[in-house]
Amino acid sequence: MATESGKYETIIELEKDEIYKVSAYTTGELGNRSGIPYIIVNGVFNNLRKYKVEYWYKNLENEEQDIYVRDDEKTVIEYGEIGKIIDKYEDKNKPGYELATEKGKNGVEGLPLTISKNEQDNVIKVYYKIHHYSITYNPNGGEWPVEGNPNPTEYTIETPTIEVIDPDRIGYTPIGWTEGEGEIPVKPYKIEIGTTGDIEITAQWEPLPHTVTAEIVGGHGTIAPPTQVVEHGESVNNIVITPDENYVVAKARIYSGTKDETRTYDPVNDTDGTLLRVATRPDITGKIKVETITNVTEDKHVVVKLKEKKKKTNFQRFIDQF
């Protein structure tokens, strides 16, 4: 478009803050024309300069090193007037990442930015690092191996799927893990890749039943019941020994393990370290009740040996008359 004076060839009316790249150029001064805030020369505003916002993410392959990689697809290019102060940027954080506060000021370099004539100086850099989330395990009565918990105590959004290893607990079988009270245990418990957030889980258990067997070695009596099943932690108080006539209990011991297994026994304390000793009454004939076996946490085997009761001498029989 030309005016009568012929001082320009093209007029482009612009909305404020809009940028148009054109091949046309002016041949003279435009003057103060309403609706035309800038003069275009070779398609570039005289008082505008380009600035960039770059987004850098820490290299996961060498996370321990201070290496960041720029994501060019996220780079933002804007224009502003020379001298304008830019004090904000678009947050392009990815799930599972956070600002790398050790870089720049709270993870940002070049902010605030005063737009310079030299566009190479007009750069804002935003740094992100991957966030490490904690994993807290409550074994809930269980125990980890001597070398410690084999499970990781932290993870990231990029960590390959974790399948949690259960601790051990004598007399119980693991039935899974829960993240809160009243939840259904999950087994196996997995932390899938892509998960975020701190995790706290509690092991859940189901008590195992135990078998308590009893026998008389060498005969000369009966013991009942010969076999019984009790829940973990329960007690046994119904084992009854009935020697034959003229026989008494010589010895009674409790062993760890079943009747057919290799058993252990503590001869010093007459106990296996878990149960109370078996109390017998060798001076009384007839039925003898074994003292209560408390807190059964594994299979047990009661072994009783009987002996013939000593015959009384004539003197003892004489004394018994008085």
Side-chain angles (χ1 to χ4, degrees), residues 118-137:
N118 185 0
E119 291 184 337
Q120 293 181 349
D121 298 333
N122 298 334
V123 181
I124 298 171
K125 294 182 179 181
V126 185
Y127 293 92
Y128 295 103
K129 65 181 178 181
I130 199 163
H131 185 87
H132 288 253
Y133 301 100
S134 66
I135 311 174
T136 303
Y137 305 88

Side-chain angles (χ1 to χ4, degrees), residues 126-168:
V126 185
Y127 293 92
Y128 295 103
K129 65 181 178 181
I130 199 163
H131 185 87
H132 288 253
Y133 301 100
S134 66
I135 311 174
T136 303
Y137 305 88
N138 176 15
N140 192 20
E143 295 182 352
W144 300 112
V146 176
E147 56 272 17
N149 183 357
N151 296 298
T153 55
E154 65 176 25
Y155 76 103
T156 72
I157 194 172
E158 305 289 350
T159 300
T161 297
I162 300 169
E163 183 170 330
V164 175
I165 299 174
D166 298 322
D168 295 322

Side-chain angles (χ1 to χ4, degrees), residues 57-71:
Y57 298 86
K58 199 163 192 179
N59 187 347
L60 297 181
E61 295 181 358
N62 300 283
E63 192 179 355
E64 68 282 357
Q65 301 179 15
D66 193 33
I67 300 176
Y68 288 79
V69 179
R70 184 178 63 197
D71 188 339

Side-chain angles (χ1 to χ4, degrees), residues 85-123:
I85 297 177
I86 307 299
D87 59 2
K88 61 182 63 177
Y89 64 93
E90 180 184 356
D91 186 8
K92 292 194 175 183
N93 194 5
K94 299 190 293 187
Y97 283 73
E98 61 185 351
L99 283 169
T101 54
E102 65 273 15
K103 300 287 289 184
K105 184 178 180 181
N106 296 323
V108 184
E109 291 181 352
L111 197 72
L113 171 69
T114 301
I115 296 179
S116 167
K117 290 182 179 180
N118 185 0
E119 291 184 337
Q120 293 181 349
D121 298 333
N122 298 334
V123 181

Side-chain angles (χ1 to χ4, degrees), residues 158-196:
E158 305 289 350
T159 300
T161 297
I162 300 169
E163 183 170 330
V164 175
I165 299 174
D166 298 322
D168 295 322
R169 187 178 180 186
I170 296 176
Y172 290 81
T173 184
I175 58 174
W177 296 82
T178 57
E179 297 180 9
E181 294 184 3
E183 293 187 355
I184 297 175
V186 176
K187 185 176 175 63
Y189 186 92
K190 295 182 180 181
I191 303 174
E192 302 285 353
I193 184 173
T195 302
T196 59

